[in-house]
Amino acid sequence: MKDFAAGEIIAIDKPYQMSSFGALARVRGTLTRRMGHRVKIGHAGTLDPLATGVLILLTGKFTKRIEEFQQHTKEYTATLQLGSTTASFDLEHPIDATFPTEHINEDMVRDTLKKFQGEITQVPPSYSACKIGGDRAYKLMRKGDEPQLAAKAIHIDSIELTRFDKETMQMDIRVVCGKGTYIRSLARDIGKELASGAHLTALRRTRVGDITQDKCIQLEAFPEWLDNALAN
């Protein structure tokens, strides 16, 4: 039987268009109703609302291990649209600029991706949860401010092109990376390196540490999973 007060790891497959906090609140609400009391719970690494995939939730005393889980290597798959940008570097905002793409080919893309492997610096998106003077960057943006975010050192273990479509100028990549990597910023920087622009049209986290997407619970199936966990 699961002991959620002592600490459990719950891996959820976060749905599209739901915030990480929203998914956590749904799980916490179900736990509270089933157990009859509020359960301490936190998540180990935010996923954007438009991203899906592995979201690690820790309960009870395991919430002290959040930092440990945040340090784990992560794997993502992403689709980039070349030739245009948005303010958030994904589909949360409309296209704000377009760029030429006629010069881009698959060999050029593969050569460009090699430049992003290893230790690099990256400026986080302005629409992000990064804090500036105690305020979240995305909240400042929504107020009309333009926060200046500093570049941070990150590590990309590997970045691989899995599909390139010359007609649509879309490309799929698989990225294995360390803590603090923003795949949206990576898309922006790839576009610039290609002398064009780019933004994400899809993003999925497929692994955190040794927890892969196939080990995750679908959010709508969590109540049934919990009933089984409490019964056994």
Side-chain angles (χ1 to χ4, degrees):
M1 183 174 174
K2 299 287 187 182
D3 189 337
F4 294 100
E8 297 288 347
I9 301 168
I10 304 172
I12 293 292
D13 189 336
K14 191 193 79 66
Y16 183 67
Q17 290 187 321
M18 178 179 284
S19 69
S20 295
F21 180 78
L24 182 150
R26 181 86 65 86
V27 169
R28 180 170 55 203
T30 302
L31 276 170
T32 299
R33 288 191 297 273
R34 293 290 197 277
M35 301 187 69
H37 59 85
R38 190 175 178 86
V39 176
K40 187 176 182 180
I41 186 170
H43 67 71
T46 304
L47 269 178
D48 293 331
L50 300 188
T52 63
V54 183
L55 180 67
I56 304 299
L57 307 180
L58 302 171
T59 75
K61 294 180 180 178
F62 275 21
T63 54
K64 296 178 181 178
R65 299 176 59 190
I66 284 176
E67 179 69 23
E68 171 194 333
F69 276 82
Q70 288 177 336
Q71 297 294 336
H72 288 178
T73 298
K74 300 171 181 68
E75 180 181 85
Y76 297 88
T77 58
T79 299
L80 283 66
Q81 176 64 60
L82 302 177
S84 55
T85 58
T86 74
S88 54
F89 315 150
D90 64 5
L91 294 178
E92 185 179 350
H93 289 80
I95 290 172
D96 57 13
T98 57
F99 303 85
T101 58
E102 294 82 3
H103 61 288
I104 301 174
N105 57 49
E106 185 168 338
D107 288 340
M108 182 181 181
V109 170
R110 290 187 184 278
D111 288 341
T112 296
L113 292 184
K114 294 175 184 177
K115 300 176 183 179
F116 291 93
Q117 192 160 309
E119 295 285 343
I120 65 171
T121 58
Q122 182 185 80
V123 178
S126 295
Y127 284 98
S128 70
C130 290
K131 282 189 174 182
I132 300 178
D135 294 317
R136 300 290 184 183
Y138 71 88
K139 290 184 178 180
L140 294 173
M141 288 292 289
R142 289 170 182 170
K143 290 179 181 177
D145 297 333
E146 292 191 9
Q148 298 299 311
L149 295 170
K152 296 181 179 181
I154 62 167
H155 189 274
I156 295 182
D157 298 64
S158 65
I159 180 167
E160 171 190 6
L161 180 69
T162 57
R163 180 181 70 94
F164 176 75
D165 189 322
K166 177 70 175 176
E167 295 299 317
T168 62
M169 274 296 153
Q170 288 190 341
M171 55 184 278
D172 294 342
I173 58 175
R174 185 182 70 87
V175 181
V176 179
C177 58
K179 179 185 177 183
T181 303
Y182 281 91
I183 308 301
R184 287 185 288 139
S185 288
L186 185 60
R188 170 202 60 198
D189 295 342
I190 289 170
K192 288 182 178 179
E193 193 65 31
L194 289 168
S196 184
H199 65 277
L200 289 185
T201 59
L203 177 62
R204 181 168 178 78
R205 187 154 68 195
T206 54
R207 179 171 64 86
V208 175
D210 60 358
I211 299 176
T212 52
Q213 58 185 346
D214 58 295
K215 297 178 181 177
C216 290
I217 306 161
Q218 299 299 314
L219 190 58
E220 63 272 15
F222 179 73
E224 181 181 356
W225 176 90
L226 180 59
D227 287 343
N228 292 331
L230 294 174
N232 297 321

